[in-house]
Amino acid sequence: DVVMTQTPVSLSVSLGGQVSISCRSSQSLVHNNGNTYLSWYLQKPGQSPQLLIYKVSNRFSGISDRFSGSGSGTDFTLKISRVEPDDLGVYYCGQGTQYPLTFGSGTKLEIK
Amino acid sequence: EVQLVESGGGLVQPGRSLKLSCAASGFTFSNYYMAWVRQAPTKGLEWVASITNSGGSTYYRDSVKGRFTISRDNAKSTLYLQMDSLRSEDTATYYCTRSGGYNPHWFAYWGQGTLVTVSS
């Protein structure tokens, strides 16, 4: 199974600040078709997860450009700029390259 | 607007069965892979099972293989998860998800979840 390792486990940021979350996979996430299926999700308190980013760097419909994804192979990063109160919650990375589909253990974002 | 509405959760004894349903609307159900993702209390996300748009192929995590069955009725736009031989470790909120694009590689939409509690 592909193990997804997220760091840090939690972080605290001031409003208007910028944060980066790292996600590393135990195997390359490059699919046989050449695509890299790394996605990012945000679970706000008391809510279902929502998709933010797919295929490493593509923002999902309605997602602010304050969210950006980057990386390749086994190392990926989610950056959030100009942090707003509504950004708090737990962020998960997930791989869709091979079964079983797996997620990172999550990064909790708190607002100072 | 895409909507996924789960139902069927509840309290069940170990070893018993439960069937979850997910009513989908707002998109052409038969065009998309669907999946179940679960989240144990205070824990992270765990993929459970996926099914192709036609229902012709299914995929499971090892811990539920042989006990859970994912299926779909495209005429009713409904996804199912039959859960047999339930264990305490199956206790979780179960989310119905729709794939992004016409492929299984990310979870674009999530339902509100239905809680399954396995306990005597």
Side-chain angles (χ1 to χ4, degrees):
Chain A
D1 298 4
V2 179
V3 177
M4 306 296 288
T5 303
Q6 276 184 248
T7 56
V9 172
S10 64
L11 70 165
S12 183
V13 63
S14 300
L15 293 177
Q18 178 175 294
V19 295
S20 292
I21 300 171
S22 171
C23 177
R24 289 187 172 178
S25 58
S26 60
Q27 303 172 33
S28 172
L29 297 187
V30 179
H31 192 271
N32 289 341
N33 63 15
N35 289 314
T36 300
Y37 294 112
L38 186 283
S39 50
W40 290 95
Y41 305 86
L42 164 60
Q43 187 171 30
K44 299 179 182 179
Q47 295 187 20
S48 303
Q50 63 179 101
L51 176 66
L52 300 175
I53 301 284
Y54 63 96
K55 286 203 298 182
V56 180
S57 59
N58 295 272
R59 276 186 299 275
F60 188 50
S61 174
I63 300 302
S64 168
D65 60 5
R66 298 183 300 102
F67 294 88
S68 64
S70 63
S72 63
T74 60
D75 287 340
F76 305 93
T77 302
L78 175 70
K79 288 186 179 178
I80 312 168
S81 60
R82 306 186 304 281
V83 169
E84 298 180 355
D86 194 45
D87 297 339
L88 73 88
V90 180
Y91 290 79
Y92 296 94
C93 60
Q95 67 83 16
T97 295
Q98 62 176 270
Y99 289 109
L101 309 180
T102 50
F103 295 92
S105 53
T107 296
K108 186 175 184 179
L109 177 64
E110 298 174 322
I111 308 296
K112 286 181 183 176
Chain B
E1 178 193 5
V2 172
Q3 287 200 330
L4 301 170
V5 180
E6 302 95 335
S7 60
L11 174 64
V12 61
Q13 293 179 329
R16 304 298 291 265
S17 299
L18 205 60
K19 186 172 186 176
L20 306 183
S21 298
C22 170
S25 61
F27 64 99
T28 304
F29 185 71
S30 59
N31 283 352
Y32 293 88
Y33 278 66
M34 299 292 292
W36 291 95
V37 176
R38 68 185 179 184
Q39 185 172 36
T42 72
K43 300 298 184 183
L45 303 174
E46 183 175 82
W47 168 78
V48 176
S50 293
I51 187 168
T52 57
N53 59 315
S54 66
S57 293
T58 55
Y59 307 87
Y60 300 92
R61 66 179 304 101
D62 283 349
S63 62
V64 308
K65 214 173 285 185
R67 300 188 300 121
F68 289 12
T69 303
I70 187 172
S71 62
R72 65 192 295 162
D73 185 334
N74 284 347
K76 294 183 177 179
S77 295
T78 303
L79 177 72
Y80 303 100
L81 185 67
Q82 175 67 45
M83 302 185 294
D84 298 325
S85 303
L86 281 161
R87 305 168 180 168
S88 58
E89 55 264 36
D90 296 319
T91 294
T93 295
Y94 285 73
Y95 294 102
C96 169
T97 70
R98 197 207 85 176
S99 65
Y102 301 134
N103 61 68
H105 304 293
W106 60 89
F107 309 105
Y109 295 94
W110 300 63
Q112 86 286 352
T114 187
L115 178 62
V116 173
T117 303
V118 184
S119 174
S120 55

